Amino acid sequence: MDKWIDLRSDTVTCPTEAMREAMGQAEVGDDVYGEDVTVSRLEAVAAEKMGKEAGLLVASGTMGNLVALLTHTHRGEEVLVEAEAHIYYYEVGGMAALAGVMPRLLRSEKGVVTTGHLREALRPADLHLPRTTLLCLENTHNRAGGTVASVQQMREVTSLAREYGLRVHLDGARIFNAAVALGVPASELAKEADSVQFCLSKGLAAPVGSLLVGDKEWIDQARKWRKTVGGGMRQAGVIAAAGLVALESMVDRLAEDHRLARVLAEGLAGMPGILIDMGTVQTNIVVFDVSGTGMAAPAFVTALKERGVKCNAFSPNTVRMVTHKDVDEGDIQRTLEIVREMLRC
Ligand code: TLP
C-alpha cells in the first residue's frame, strides 16, 4: 500500500518537525535525581494548565492511571468506575493485579456518569462490604465514542462523591479534546478531581508520555509509586521537550479533528446498513454499528484494510475510527468513497 489512511487511533500520530527539533536540542539531566530541567518544566506547565500544584511525567496513560490507583487506594478497597472505562476495560487488569482494588461498575449516559448513576452504586458502610475510597471518571469517554462530560456534570458528580468521602481520579487521556469541544480551559474540567491523568501521545501528537497532576503532597507519593513500577526515567527531557511543544502548539488544532470526525460520521450515517448515534460524535472518535451491512466488525475492518484504510473493531458489531493530525479532509473523503464502494451503494 502506497499510503495508508490510518484511523485506528490518534495514538498513531507522528511527532511534528518542531517536536523533533526540540527533542534534539533538549537540555537534559538525570530525572531520578530531579536534575532534568526539561522534565521539570513540562511537569510545571502541565500542573499550571490543569490548575493543580504539581505534575509528574509518566511513560503512558496506563502507567499514569495505575500510579494514581496505587497512590489513592489500599489493597482490598473498592473503586467506583464506569463499566466501559479504559482504566477497567483496557488496562490489562492492572487495577486488580497490581493495585489490588475491587472495581464496582457504574452505569452512564453515553459515558457520562451522573449523580443518579453514582447513587445507584453508593452503599452505606457495612461490615460485609469493602471500603469505597475512589471514584474514577473518564473525559472524553473513549468507548462511548469520545463523548464529553460538561463542567457542570463533572462538578455535580464529584461533589456527591465528596459527600461520601471519596477521592476522585480523572482519566483525562483526551481532556484537551473535551476542553476544545466545550470551549473551556482544561483546568475547569480538572478542577473538581484530586488527580488527573492526560496524554501527550494521542491527539497532541507527541511520541510518548502522559502527565499525572494533583496537589504537591499527592504527587510526591505518586513519584514514589512511579519508581516502584519502574517508571523512574533518566534523561527523559528528550521526551518532555516534545511534550512541551505538544502543549504549546497542538491543542487548538484538535477542533479540526473534531470537524473531520463529524464529516466522516455524517458520510457513514448515510450509508445503508451503518448505524451511528450522531449524539456521540462530539470529538475525534466515531463508533458505528455495521451489523446491518451483513458483515461483523472484524470482517468489515479486514475488508477496509485490503482497500487501504485501517480502523479497529470495537465490539463484535461496532467499528471505531479516530481522526487526528495525520489525516486530512481528502483522506476522510477517500475513506467514505472506499466504504461506499465496498458496500456498493
Ligand atoms: N487508548 C487507546 C487504546 O488503549 C484503546 C486508544 O487507541 O484509544 N485512557 C484512555 C481514555 C485511553 O483512551 C487510553 C488509550 C489510555 C487511558 C491509555 O493510554 P496509553 O495507551 O498511553 O497507555
Side-chain angles (χ1 to χ4, degrees):
M1 204 60 64
D2 278 355
K3 183 185 179 280
W4 290 98
I5 300 173
D6 195 343
L7 301 172
R8 285 172 302 172
S9 183
D10 44 11
T11 60
V12 304
T13 44
C14 290
T16 61
E17 275 312 308
M19 288 178 190
R20 287 178 183 273
E21 214 165 288
M23 292 171 84
Q25 289 165 11
E27 197 181 333
V28 297
D30 189 327
D31 185 51
V32 172
Y33 289 102
E35 291 173 3
D36 191 303
V37 291
T38 311
V39 171
S40 301
R41 198 175 319 129
L42 173 63
E43 292 177 343
V45 168
E48 192 247 301
K49 288 208 183 287
M50 293 293 149
K52 301 290 182 206
E53 282 176 15
L56 181 71
L57 175 65
V58 290
S60 65
T62 302
M63 182 184 274
N65 284 337
L66 176 63
V67 167
L69 285 168
L70 289 164
T71 310
H72 279 302
T73 65
H74 298 96
R75 297 182 75 78
E77 289 177 355
E78 179 177 83
V79 171
L80 302 180
V81 56
E82 199 273 338
E84 302 236 340
H86 195 280
I87 199 167
Y88 170 75
Y89 197 102
Y90 280 128
E91 297 186 9
V92 211
M95 176 184 265
L98 302 174
V101 292
M102 181 85 168
R104 181 161 160 84
L105 303 183
L106 303 175
R107 295 191 312 125
S108 70
E109 176 60 31
K110 299 188 205 301
V112 177
V113 175
T114 64
T115 51
H117 300 122
L118 181 56
R119 276 187 206 285
E120 286 172 359
L122 290 165
R123 300 181 287 183
D126 181 291
L127 175 65
H128 301 81
L129 306 177
R131 241 162 60 84
T132 309
T133 45
L134 184 68
L135 168 67
C136 289
L137 298 172
E138 183 176 318
N139 198 7
T140 65
H141 193 294
N142 184 346
R143 284 196 60 83
T147 52
V148 177
S150 68
V151 174
Q152 178 69 13
Q153 284 165 329
M154 296 284 297
R155 199 173 288 148
E156 284 172 8
V157 76
T158 51
S159 75
L160 177 62
R162 296 229 184 286
E163 273 175 42
Y164 282 79
L166 306 185
R167 293 177 63 79
V168 179
H169 171 66
L170 172 61
D171 177 354
R174 295 186 179 83
I175 194 170
F176 287 107
N177 293 84
V180 165
L182 292 167
V184 300
S187 57
E188 281 296 302
L189 293 167
K191 204 175 191 166
E192 312 299 329
D194 295 292
S195 59
V196 181
Q197 179 278 120
F198 70 89
C199 295
L200 301 168
S201 61
K202 299 201 162 52
L204 303 186
V208 63
S210 286
L211 270 303
L212 253 187
V213 295
D215 67 34
K216 176 151 182 348
E217 201 186 323
W218 188 86
I219 287 291
D220 287 345
Q221 290 165 18
R223 193 175 292 279
K224 265 190 102 68
W225 277 116
R226 181 188 69 171
K227 191 82 180 91
T228 310
V229 296
M233 295 183 279
R234 303 298 178 170
Q235 287 72 34
V238 175
I239 294 168
L244 281 163
V245 175
L247 289 179
E248 278 153 19
S249 62
M250 301 299 284
V251 172
D252 293 344
R253 64 151 307 289
L254 294 173
E256 174 63 3
D257 298 346
H258 300 177
R259 187 184 74 78
L260 289 183
R262 189 106 208 139
V263 171
L264 178 64
E266 279 166 0
L268 289 167
M271 297 185 200
I274 292 185
L275 208 64
I276 302 191
D277 177 351
M278 290 298 290
T280 65
V281 186
Q282 299 173 13
T283 55
N284 67 328
I285 298 179
V286 181
V287 177
F288 53 99
D289 189 303
V290 296
S291 47
T293 66
M295 270 188 261
F300 189 96
V301 166
T302 305
L304 273 185
K305 192 170 175 194
E306 282 160 6
R307 292 164 171 79
V309 177
K310 293 185 187 178
C311 55
N312 278 327
F314 222 35
S315 77
N317 288 325
T318 59
V319 170
R320 183 185 77 162
M321 292 182 172
V322 184
T323 55
H324 52 77
K325 81 144 178 76
D326 292 341
V327 289
D328 60 17
E329 173 107 33
D331 294 321
I332 296 305
Q333 294 300 348
R334 179 83 193 112
T335 300
L336 290 171
E337 261 169 48
I338 290 171
V339 179
R340 218 172 276 126
E341 272 166 31
M342 186 175 95
L343 300 176
R344 291 192 185 80
C345 55

